[in-house]
């Protein structure tokens, strides 16, 4: 049976490299994964005071995660850690207390950056937050895409061949990970 995977991108930029990588992972995914990129830019900042009458964007997002069979994070690194928009999405779906919808959703994380380090800091900070929320995170292969601006063909959308192979290996491994649960 097909598994429904929610893809969350930690950049709101229209020409985001991470968004393009997410789209390539969706293109390369095996048929056993039904992957959908879910927007997180319009989620109001988490504030416990709003839980009495939570914003519709929060309740819709919580429902989306609840109905997913897994979550793939694709993110840049901001100041060596998680971009606020992605951390906010993680926080929103972790509350109200005791009602987190993250628990048990097999996850994985890809980080990409024009710098050489490939968002290593963000990658591990995302892991740190969601492992606490009981998301079983795929450990291998890891994916830190450095010099990401050099990994696309002339159309600016399609990755070059060696990166395509790497992404394909990664998304196939993630499909196997999802099916273990
Ligand atoms: C606020 C801010 C902080 C950043 N900090 C880092 C950083 O710590 N490490 C890094 O590799 N790149 C950093 N960058 C550069 C981003 O990697 C670069 O802008 C990248 O293209 C953002 O990802 P995107 O193309 O998916 O939007 C930072 C960019 C911004 C806007």
């Amino acid at each position: 049976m097909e598994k429904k995977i929610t893809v969350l991108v930690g950049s709101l930029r229209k020409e985001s490299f991470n968004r393009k990588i997410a789209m390539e992972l969706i293109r390369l995914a095996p048929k056993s994964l039904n992957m959908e990129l879910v927007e997180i830019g319009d989620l109001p900042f988490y504030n416990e005071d709003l839980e009495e009458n939570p914003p519709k964007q929060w309740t819709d997002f919580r429902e989306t995660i609840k109905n997913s069979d897994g979550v793939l994070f694709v993110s840049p690194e901001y100041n060596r850690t998680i971009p606020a928009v992605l951390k906010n999405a993680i926080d929103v779906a972790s509350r109200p207390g005791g009602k987190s919808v993250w628990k048990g959703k097999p996850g994985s994380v890809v980080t990409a950056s024009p710098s050489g380090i490939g968002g290593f800091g963000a990658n591990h900070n995302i892991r740190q937050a969601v492992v606490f929320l009981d998301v079983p995170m795929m450990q291998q292969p890891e994916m830190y895409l450095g010099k990401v601006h050099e990994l696309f063909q002339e159309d600016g959308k399609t990755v070059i061949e060696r990166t395509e192979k790497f992404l394909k290996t990664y998304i196939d491994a993630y499909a196997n990970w999802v099916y273990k649960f």
Side-chain angles (χ1 to χ4, degrees):
M1 207 185 65
E2 204 179 60
K3 299 285 186 186
K4 191 170 163 29
I5 306 300
T6 293
V7 182
L8 302 179
V9 175
S11 171
L12 303 180
R13 209 165 70 81
K14 228 188 304 160
E15 291 298 318
S16 158
F17 292 118
N18 284 277
R19 181 171 290 261
K20 290 176 183 175
I21 293 293
M23 294 313 292
E24 285 292 79
L25 285 162
I26 291 171
R27 175 175 73 81
L28 295 167
K31 285 199 167 48
S32 57
L33 298 186
N34 172 8
M35 309 214 340
E36 190 187 348
L37 200 158
V38 171
E39 300 296 338
I40 55 175
D42 66 344
L43 291 173
F45 271 133
Y46 188 73
N47 175 350
E48 284 193 274
D49 292 345
L50 304 185
E51 287 293 6
E52 260 181 46
N53 184 19
K56 185 173 182 321
Q57 296 98 317
W58 288 8
T59 51
D60 286 352
F61 182 65
R62 288 166 178 168
E63 216 35 44
T64 299
I65 300 299
K66 194 173 166 187
N67 293 329
S68 303
D69 298 308
V71 189
L72 172 68
F73 301 92
V74 186
S75 184
E77 173 176 271
Y78 277 6
N79 299 313
R80 295 287 179 258
T81 186
I82 313 177
V85 71
L86 181 57
K87 183 57 167 49
N88 186 50
I90 292 170
D91 294 342
V92 165
S94 74
R95 295 272 140 175
K99 295 212 170 136
S100 168
V101 288
W102 293 111
K103 189 178 167 69
K105 310 283 178 191
S108 71
V109 55
V110 171
T111 49
S113 169
S115 94
I117 308 173
F120 177 87
N123 192 302
H124 284 268
N125 285 164
I126 292 166
R127 283 176 194 269
Q128 182 177 340
V130 297
V131 164
F132 168 67
L133 294 167
D134 233 349
V135 172
M137 288 295 279
M138 182 170 81
Q139 284 137 11
Q140 296 291 342
E142 296 171 297
M143 176 79 87
Y144 316 103
L145 291 171
K147 306 242 178 268
V148 65
H149 55 295
E150 295 175 4
L151 305 182
F152 291 90
Q153 297 186 27
E154 269 176 22
D155 67 1
K157 287 183 182 154
T158 317
V159 288
I160 57 175
E161 206 179 324
R162 76 182 152 84
T163 304
E164 181 170 293
K165 274 192 195 141
F166 190 27
L167 295 185
K168 181 73 188 139
T169 303
Y170 185 88
I171 200 67
D172 286 347
Y174 178 56
N176 287 337
W177 181 248
V178 169
Y179 274 86
K180 281 189 181 150
F181 291 86

